[in-house]
Amino acid sequence: MSTQKVPSLLSAALASGSSLVLLQLFSRVVTFILNQALVRLVSPQVFGTTSIQFELLLSTILFLSREGVRNALLRAPPSTKSAPDRQITSQLITNISLLPVLLGIPTAMLSAIVYLSSSSSTTASQPHFRTSVTLYVLAAFFELLSEPLYIRTQNELRFHVRVRAEGTAVMLKTVVTFVALVCASEEWALVAFALGQTAYGLTMLASFMMACRGTLDFRPKRVSFTTEGGTKSLLFEPELFSLSVVMTGQSLIKHFLTEGDKFLVSRLSPLADQGGYAVAANYGSLIARIVFQPIEETARVFFSKTLSSTASEPEEKKTAVRSKDALQTAATVLLTLLLTFTHLLLLAITFGPPYLPLAISLVLPRKYLATSAPSILHVYVYYIPMMAFNGVLEAFFASAASPADLRAQSRWMLVFSGAFIAAAVGLARGLGLGDAGLVWANVANLALRAGYAWAFVRRYFHEQGAGGLIDWSQVTPPLPALAVFAVAAAIVRGSAASYKDVPFNLIAQKGHLATGIACLLGCLLTCIVLERKTVVQLVDPLRKAQ
């Protein structure tokens, strides 16, 4: 990629990130309001089935079918020198983008069969259970049909198409689910959720088809072209296809590590606790989904386009050292995000534990207080920052890693999987932490994965002759700032201890809240004063690059 494209790409990525944050803010606020109503309309058993088991089935089908191809094609070239070459490359890439649809059929059927055959009698005996599973599988296939169009719009940097499609889909899903629950009896609760998900999948497909109308073609076409050795015929672009195969193979391990807690809780916990786990996950990951998920997705697009070799480049360019400007911009983006997440971690561990009990009493419905939800939410104080670190570091890894790097990561992920299972069972059963133990195991799992990705980042920049651009000290606050956070943590914990016998409401806890606000302002002011220069040094190159 030429250095001239980096500034416009950065601007597009920043615009995409802000749009996705607004989309997630809209969709999560709507979903949060809906969930507040739904958890009062349905039993924990129904909510656990839909939010844990059905969502796990859906994510398994989608992740295994499309994730590898989607990430590989982010490295596709935006253009080539001549029109014939551009048409050939475009068709070969389009053929690869159709693979999720073809993979989705056997993946959906196999996933549904395994899930239905392994479901407990308590789960399967719920009214209209099989009908609901069928609708979720159908919803997944509708989404997969839109995948080739999604990939096309992403590679064309038409991020607004996705924002509009997902925003509309979330709204319709919300309306359909709520109306079905209100109008039908409780017997149809599972079907109501399934209809909402089906509406989501159909809306995504219709939105992308409208955005790409006039260029729709779901048939792979073999391309023939002349080379020095004669005529050559291809169905897929070789390097991107190879990368897609490697990433798709890796997705099975990565999916288990990402959704491992849901796999285990769906097998180890009763349905009522599954409902509590789902509620805690929905509340606990609200910030992660609104802010960190868009950042991760945008970072993956940006790093892929900035750093990756493309199939259209000559061989000598692929092995050349990356442009210094591109490497500097990528390092600056990465360090800025990591520094932000470091401060998030400090804020979370300083103010989360002392004020979470009050927040839980205000937000969590009473019937979920007796489930595992409160204990799980306490662990999310540490889980959310770790999700942020791991997300952006793995986005960089997926964008810059070679097939050999991906295979090495897959081997290590097998090791991480074994460690996760051992830790999850040991913490949940051995130490009696229950479902909260599964989240602690996930925290450890994410820390290992983030550490592996950080080691790759260091090695990558060193191999490009730019090792000095990356150092952990650049994302660590100075000692005076750490000291202020430590003092604030001691003060708010002392305040929490003095208010432990006071009723959990805003009026009764106003003194405790005032203490927290004062300490929070002190921490923020300290960061502004002590780290303003560091922030300016990191952000200034980005502002100049736009």
Side-chain angles (χ1 to χ4, degrees), residues 44-325:
Q45 289 80 2
V46 169
F47 201 73
T49 302
T50 58
S51 298
I52 294 293
Q53 300 193 23
F54 287 176
E55 287 294 329
L56 184 58
L57 172 65
L58 180 72
S59 66
T60 298
I61 296 170
L62 294 176
F63 196 92
L64 298 184
S65 300
R66 74 187 184 187
E67 194 69 13
V69 174
R70 174 180 285 189
N71 288 335
L73 291 190
L74 285 177
R75 306 191 191 188
S79 63
T80 52
K81 292 182 180 179
S82 62
D85 288 341
R86 183 165 59 249
Q87 293 173 358
I88 290 171
T89 303
S90 176
Q91 184 59 56
L92 293 175
I93 292 172
T94 298
N95 291 343
I96 298 176
S97 73
L98 296 172
L99 290 177
V101 181
L102 301 176
L103 287 171
I105 297 174
T107 302
M109 293 179 63
L110 181 61
S111 299
I113 291 171
V114 170
Y115 173 63
L116 289 172
S117 62
S118 62
S119 296
S120 66
S121 57
T122 304
T123 302
S125 63
Q126 295 178 94
H128 310 292
F129 174 74
R130 289 181 176 272
T131 301
S132 303
V133 171
T134 302
L135 286 172
Y136 263 87
V137 171
L138 187 63
F141 191 66
F142 286 144
E143 278 199 67
L144 289 174
L145 282 174
S146 69
E147 186 63 16
L149 308 179
Y150 169 90
I151 290 172
R152 181 189 305 175
T153 56
Q154 287 290 101
N155 279 326
E156 293 172 354
L157 303 182
R158 296 166 60 196
F159 301 117
H160 65 279
V161 175
R162 176 193 171 182
V163 172
R164 185 166 54 239
E166 288 194 6
T168 306
V170 167
M171 180 59 72
L172 284 178
K173 174 184 176 179
T174 301
V175 171
V176 169
T177 304
F178 186 76
V179 169
L181 280 173
V182 171
C183 295
S185 63
E186 190 174 349
E187 175 188 351
W188 295 90
L190 291 181
V191 176
F193 282 92
L195 288 174
Q197 190 61 50
T198 305
Y200 180 92
L202 271 172
T203 305
M204 290 289 288
L205 177 59
S207 298
F208 278 103
M209 289 182 70
M210 289 179 62
C212 300
R213 59 183 179 275
T215 57
L216 295 175
D217 193 348
F218 287 92
R219 297 170 300 172
K221 297 178 182 178
R222 184 171 288 276
V223 176
S224 298
F225 53 94
T226 304
T227 64
E228 294 181 359
T231 302
K232 194 173 183 180
S233 179
L234 290 175
L235 187 60
F236 304 117
E237 200 288 314
E239 286 195 16
L240 289 175
F241 177 72
S242 175
L243 191 63
S244 298
V245 171
V246 173
M247 286 187 165
T248 299
Q250 188 192 59
S251 64
L252 180 62
I253 305 170
K254 193 170 182 179
H255 180 57
F256 175 76
L257 285 174
T258 302
E259 303 284 4
D261 55 334
K262 291 183 179 178
F263 277 110
L264 293 176
V265 79
S266 66
R267 296 301 170 212
L268 300 177
S269 301
L271 276 178
D273 273 350
Q274 291 182 39
Y277 195 96
V279 168
N282 284 333
Y283 290 166
S285 62
L286 198 61
I287 296 176
R289 293 179 185 276
I290 290 174
V291 180
F292 303 137
Q293 183 179 334
I295 288 175
E296 178 185 343
E297 294 177 6
T298 304
R300 186 179 289 114
V301 174
F302 173 74
F303 290 138
S304 293
K305 299 300 183 185
T306 303
L307 299 174
S308 300
S309 301
T310 64
S312 61
E313 293 174 328
E315 190 64 32
E316 59 270 18
K317 279 191 177 182
K318 295 177 186 177
T319 57
V321 173
R322 301 287 185 271
S323 156
K324 182 179 179 180
D325 289 343

Side-chain angles (χ1 to χ4, degrees), residues 376-389:
I376 292 170
L377 284 170
H378 279 85
V379 188
Y380 262 82
V381 170
Y382 310 94
Y383 185 39
I384 292 174
M386 198 53 63
M387 289 171 64
F389 279 112

Side-chain angles (χ1 to χ4, degrees), residues 257-455:
L257 285 174
T258 302
E259 303 284 4
D261 55 334
K262 291 183 179 178
F263 277 110
L264 293 176
V265 79
S266 66
R267 296 301 170 212
L268 300 177
S269 301
L271 276 178
D273 273 350
Q274 291 182 39
Y277 195 96
V279 168
N282 284 333
Y283 290 166
S285 62
L286 198 61
I287 296 176
R289 293 179 185 276
I290 290 174
V291 180
F292 303 137
Q293 183 179 334
I295 288 175
E296 178 185 343
E297 294 177 6
T298 304
R300 186 179 289 114
V301 174
F302 173 74
F303 290 138
S304 293
K305 299 300 183 185
T306 303
L307 299 174
S308 300
S309 301
T310 64
S312 61
E313 293 174 328
E315 190 64 32
E316 59 270 18
K317 279 191 177 182
K318 295 177 186 177
T319 57
V321 173
R322 301 287 185 271
S323 156
K324 182 179 179 180
D325 289 343
L327 288 170
Q328 176 68 64
T329 304
T332 300
V333 170
L334 182 61
L335 292 173
T336 302
L337 291 174
L338 292 177
L339 180 62
T340 303
F341 297 157
T342 303
H343 286 85
L344 167 71
L345 176 62
L346 289 173
L347 289 170
I349 62 179
T350 299
F351 298 99
Y355 291 96
L356 198 57
L358 175 61
I360 290 174
S361 67
L362 295 175
V363 176
L364 202 64
R366 287 187 175 276
K367 61 183 175 182
Y368 285 89
L369 292 174
T371 67
S372 58
S375 61
I376 292 170
L377 284 170
H378 279 85
V379 188
Y380 262 82
V381 170
Y382 310 94
Y383 185 39
I384 292 174
M386 198 53 63
M387 289 171 64
F389 279 112
N390 180 71
V392 71
L393 286 169
E394 286 202 342
F396 187 99
F397 184 96
S399 304
S402 67
D405 292 323
L406 291 167
R407 284 189 287 269
Q409 187 195 36
S410 296
R411 291 191 291 270
W412 276 103
M413 279 190 169
L414 285 174
V415 176
F416 298 158
S417 298
F420 169 73
I421 294 173
V425 174
L427 292 172
R429 295 294 178 89
L431 296 181
L433 295 179
D435 291 343
L438 301 181
V439 187
W440 276 118
N442 242 343
V443 173
N445 163 43
L446 290 175
L448 289 173
R449 290 166 57 183
Y452 184 91
W454 174 253

